[in-house]
Amino acid sequence: MAVAEVGGMLASAVLKVATQKLGAAIAGRVMLQWNFDKDLEGMKATLESVDAVLRDAERRSIRDAAVRLWLRRLKDAAYDISDMLDDLENITSKSDAGKLGCVMIPNLTIAHKITLANKMKTISDELKEITNQHLSFRFTEDSSYKEHRVTDKRETSSKVEEALVVGRTAEKRIIISSLSKRMTEETVILPIYGIGGIGKTTLAKLVFNASNFRDYSKVWIYVSQTFDLNKISNSIISQVSESESQLTEREMINRRLDELLSGRKILIVLDDLWERDQFQLDDLKTMLKVGRGSRVIAIVTTRDKDIAEKICTTEPYKLEPLTDDMCWKIIKEKSVFEARDDKEQLENIGREIASKCGGVALAAKSLGYTLQPMKFDEWVSVRNNDIWKASTFECTSLPYHNVLASL
Ligand SMILES: Nc1ncnc2c1ncn2[C@@H]1O[C@H](COP(=O)(O)OP(=O)(O)OP(=O)(O)O)[C@@H](O)[C@H]1O
Ligand SMILES: [Mg+2]
């Protein structure tokens, strides 16, 4: 089995999550005053159309960075939809109506509705753009893919629902203690590295929100594949000063950073660093060494060990896979396992599926959602699927890593 297909399986699992949740929301007769259900239908149709070309996209993503970025953007949009529907579920499950499996939106406050409407608008615009881009990919000859520059609009944020994070308490403690050992240094840069979907960003969020840093100013930056030092600096300035900064001159930026950060304690997360150029990374390092008498803690997440080693001031932390038990816990949670009548029968099969996730949280989560509406024999066929034979997540062969990277 080609390695690309393994990645395809995971990518389509992510898509399925979103599509299924959309389906459920629609089936649950979303009762709305605004036309949310139309929006949901639209999103579902778009996702389904994209699903059709996913395999081809995965194949091309091995060689083509633009396609890779497109896939990532698609994944992020699918996550956004899932998250939005989770929010919706949270709000509605607080009312009695939610229990009937029937989403009663009239109970929402006006503020909720406005937020929701805005979110849906943003997501469906983004989806439309993603679809447009996929059309242009399809219509273009091989050689000119690269002209299509895809912008990665996705930003992670520091928000995390800690109760839903399985394990990682020891890891969190290690990071915090290794930071506190370096209290005397003005600038500490501690990278967390590990393969895609393993939970680096999630761990960074746990540390970011830990009570140990209560008296720190906090800055969360999603770096992305397009490294732009000015953007990063301006983002630090904006978040610390709580007013938009768009300085363009390096000199001005440094001055502003210096005056803002002097004597301050700051915790910065630089999430998802891909830049490997030593000069750029040195500039970033220098930029973080600002302010008199300040204390800057920077946590960097990256998939790449080399990048981690280039940017660090203290030994990088390698994030290891979750245990099979933890993956099973995630799958159970996402597939609403405990509510099933056939859970005794499914337990062993489920555990076997979990053990095939290779400790990758993303795989467990996606599979959990995929398994949720499935019946016993479908669980069996997921377990029996040959795709797993190729899924050695430890494998370092380049193509597979690239496919996983695209997720
Ligand atoms: N310990 C965990 N328990 C439950 N869910 C988790 C856990 N770790 C990660 N997840 C979920 O798995 C998904 C992937 O996690 P995350 O984004 O942290 O991975 P990552 O290593 O940062 O991936 P990437 O390299 O793509 O940035 C997310 O949806 C996250 O919520
Ligand atoms: Mg991440």
Side-chain angles (χ1 to χ4, degrees):
M1 163 119 357
V3 278
E5 287 177 41
V6 182
M9 163 96 185
L10 288 177
S12 66
V14 175
L15 266 201
K16 276 206 195 89
V17 173
T19 316
Q20 274 164 7
K21 280 196 181 180
L22 281 171
I26 295 163
R29 280 183 298 121
V30 183
M31 295 160 80
L32 306 156
Q33 279 149 16
W34 286 335
N35 269 346
F36 289 159
D37 42 2
K38 276 243 172 59
D39 290 337
L40 294 177
E41 288 277 9
M43 286 182 204
K44 185 158 178 277
T46 312
L47 283 187
E48 279 162 354
S49 74
V50 166
D51 193 41
V53 299
L54 208 57
R55 251 157 216 277
D56 188 36
E58 285 281 352
R59 219 171 296 124
R60 287 184 192 174
S61 74
I62 293 173
R63 262 171 286 107
D64 194 319
V67 176
R68 211 145 57 223
L69 213 49
W70 177 81
L71 269 173
R72 198 179 163 89
R73 193 172 171 186
L74 173 65
K75 175 199 84 170
D76 291 337
Y79 275 148
D80 282 344
I81 293 175
S82 294
D83 287 348
M84 177 194 70
L85 293 170
D86 283 346
D87 284 351
L88 188 65
E89 212 178 287
N90 276 339
I91 300 165
T92 51
S93 65
K94 289 192 185 107
S95 68
D96 286 342
K99 289 188 195 118
L100 304 169
C102 169
V103 188
M104 300 275 283
I105 308 298
N107 292 346
L108 294 186
T109 63
I110 270 291
H112 273 136
K113 275 180 196 158
I114 292 171
T115 326
L116 209 66
N118 284 339
K119 261 192 203 160
M120 286 212 198
K121 172 97 176 55
T122 319
I123 296 175
S124 69
D125 287 350
E126 168 78 350
L127 267 183
K128 259 178 226 139
E129 243 192 78
I130 292 173
T131 334
N132 287 340
Q133 269 167 352
H134 113 234
L135 294 178
S136 61
F137 278 125
R138 290 215 309 166
F139 292 140
T140 319
E141 294 301 310
D142 278 12
S143 54
S144 52
Y145 286 161
K146 289 199 176 52
E147 283 157 24
H148 294 264
R149 300 235 35 149
V150 185
T151 44
D152 190 359
K153 273 198 197 160
R154 165 71 170 186
E155 288 188 22
T156 56
S157 78
S158 62
K159 210 176 123 206
V160 62
E161 193 149 354
E162 298 208 15
L164 293 181
V165 177
V166 176
R168 299 303 191 206
T169 45
E171 288 87 341
K172 174 180 162 186
R173 214 177 311 124
I174 292 170
I175 303 259
I176 292 173
S177 99
S178 105
L179 289 173
S180 55
K181 275 190 203 123
R182 306 197 154 252
M183 276 304 180
T184 51
E185 288 162 35
E186 288 204 336
T187 304
V188 180
I189 306 175
L190 172 65
I192 300 171
Y193 70 97
I195 56 174
I198 200 172
K200 301 176 293 294
T201 301
T202 305
L203 178 58
K205 288 180 184 181
L206 294 181
V207 176
F208 190 82
N209 291 301
S211 56
N212 310 58
F213 304 108
R214 221 180 293 122
D215 56 340
Y216 280 65
S217 307
K218 304 218 186 143
V219 175
W220 182 279
I221 295 171
Y222 177 67
V223 183
S224 87
Q225 298 194 27
T226 339
F227 183 85
D228 179 346
L229 191 63
N230 279 3
K231 207 172 127 222
I232 296 173
S233 317
N234 274 313
S235 182
I236 295 177
I237 296 170
S238 304
Q239 290 185 48
V240 173
S241 67
E242 287 178 43
S243 65
E244 177 81 13
S245 163
Q246 283 185 342
L247 300 171
T248 48
E249 272 172 274
R250 215 41 265 154
E251 183 59 30
M252 284 303 293
I253 292 178
N254 286 340
R255 245 186 255 173
R256 184 86 180 102
L257 271 174
D258 255 331
E259 86 196 13
L260 256 183
L261 302 193
S262 283
R264 251 186 146 128
K265 290 173 164 180
I266 302 143
L267 174 62
I268 304 176
V269 168
L270 296 166
D271 186 39
D272 218 9
L273 180 62
W274 292 74
E275 181 59 51
R276 41 179 71 253
D277 181 72
Q278 183 78 60
F279 292 105
Q280 298 269 22
L281 292 176
D282 284 347
D283 284 349
L284 172 61
K285 238 173 167 165
T286 311
M287 187 269 286
L288 291 171
K289 291 182 181 156
V290 283
R292 265 160 212 276
S294 62
R295 170 156 171 77
V296 178
I297 295 181
I299 296 171
V300 174
T301 80
T302 177
R303 291 180 180 176
D304 193 308
K305 187 175 180 211
D306 288 341
I307 295 177
E309 279 164 355
K310 281 181 192 160
I311 192 72
C312 72
T313 66
T314 178
E315 199 188 338
Y317 183 78
K318 181 179 183 202
L319 187 59
E320 298 291 348
L322 296 168
T323 63
D324 293 350
D325 262 356
M326 290 169 179
C327 285
W328 175 225
K329 208 165 162 195
I330 296 175
I331 291 180
K332 278 202 290 192
E333 149 89 30
K334 300 303 170 202
S335 64
V336 202
F337 185 77
E338 292 303 334
R340 295 181 72 119
D341 300 331
D342 53 354
K343 60 180 175 186
E344 273 91 21
Q345 277 171 286
L346 285 181
E347 170 99 22
N348 285 335
I349 299 161
R351 284 184 176 277
E352 282 181 62
I353 294 175
S355 72
K356 290 165 176 174
C357 291
V360 176
L362 174 64
K365 190 170 173 176
S366 309
L367 276 163
Y369 283 128
T370 309
L371 290 166
Q372 194 244 318
M374 291 187 167
K375 300 202 179 61
F376 178 81
D377 50 338
E378 291 169 299
W379 279 55
V380 172
S381 72
V382 168
R383 179 200 58 187
N384 294 346
N385 202 320
D386 274 350
I387 273 165
W388 297 109
K389 288 193 183 135
S391 71
T392 40
F393 286 93
E394 233 65 90
C395 154
T396 46
S397 76
L398 209 69
Y400 182 66
H401 259 244
N402 281 339
V403 173
L404 199 59
S406 69
L407 279 163

